[in-house]
């Protein structure tokens, strides 16, 4: 596993490229801060895409039936294993961390 801080100039292009490879993945979103503790924002659900808007400085995570936005983004960290993205940590300017965990859905065996 490798954890990297993404350069702010690369956020928009990075998530555009990543979103093209996300169909079929699931995501869970946790929010953590000293003020509220650790909260599960969304259980694992089908992930539609992740978008960073440079103009409004908002990161949006679009899940099936749920939109999660992070305004005023200060840092983005990615955890990956080679070419497989495992999670994204987004820190806003208030120090609130949003952790987006990714996984592939469980493939069930074929029944006869």
């Amino acid at each position: 596993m490798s954890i990297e801080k993404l350069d702010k100039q690369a956020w928009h292009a990075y998530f555009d490229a990543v979103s093209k490879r996300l169909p079929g993945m699931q995501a869970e979103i946790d929010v953590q801060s000293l003020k509220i503790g650790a909260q599960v924002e969304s259980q694992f659900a089908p992930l539609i895409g992740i978008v960073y808007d440079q103009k409004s400085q908002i990161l949006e995570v679009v899940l099936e039936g749920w939109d999660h936005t992070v305004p005023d983004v200060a840092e983005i960290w990615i955890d990956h294993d080679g070419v497989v993205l495992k999670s994204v940590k987004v820190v806003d300017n208030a120090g609130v961390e949003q952790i987006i965990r990714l996984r592939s859905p469980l493939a069930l065996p074929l029944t006869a």
Side-chain angles (χ1 to χ4, degrees):
M1 275 201 254
S2 180
I3 298 173
E4 296 178 46
K5 182 178 180 181
L6 291 180
D7 182 54
K8 188 171 187 170
Q9 306 300 342
W11 294 352
H12 179 77
Y14 179 80
F15 288 112
D16 274 356
V18 164
S19 288
K20 292 175 183 168
R21 295 179 175 90
L22 291 177
M25 296 294 288
Q26 295 181 338
E28 175 179 73
I29 302 170
D30 295 331
V31 179
Q32 301 176 0
S33 77
L34 292 175
K35 196 177 208 180
I36 64 169
Q39 310 262 331
V40 175
E41 180 74 17
S42 172
Q43 298 282 339
F44 279 103
L47 179 60
I48 297 168
I50 303 174
V51 179
Y52 178 73
D53 180 28
Q54 294 170 312
K55 188 174 181 182
S56 62
Q57 297 184 16
I58 292 176
L59 182 92
E60 182 176 13
V61 182
V62 182
L63 303 172
E64 187 174 285
W66 186 264
D67 260 8
H68 179 76
T69 58
V70 183
D72 208 18
V73 178
E75 297 178 354
I76 297 177
W77 296 79
I78 59 168
D79 179 3
H80 61 93
D81 188 6
V83 296
V84 178
L85 182 61
K86 300 285 188 182
S87 66
V88 177
K89 179 170 81 169
V90 183
V91 182
D92 68 20
N93 281 316
V96 178
E97 296 179 356
Q98 333 262 321
I99 300 168
I100 305 144
R101 288 185 182 80
L102 304 171
R103 72 174 185 194
S104 296
L106 178 64
L108 298 175
L110 296 174
T111 58

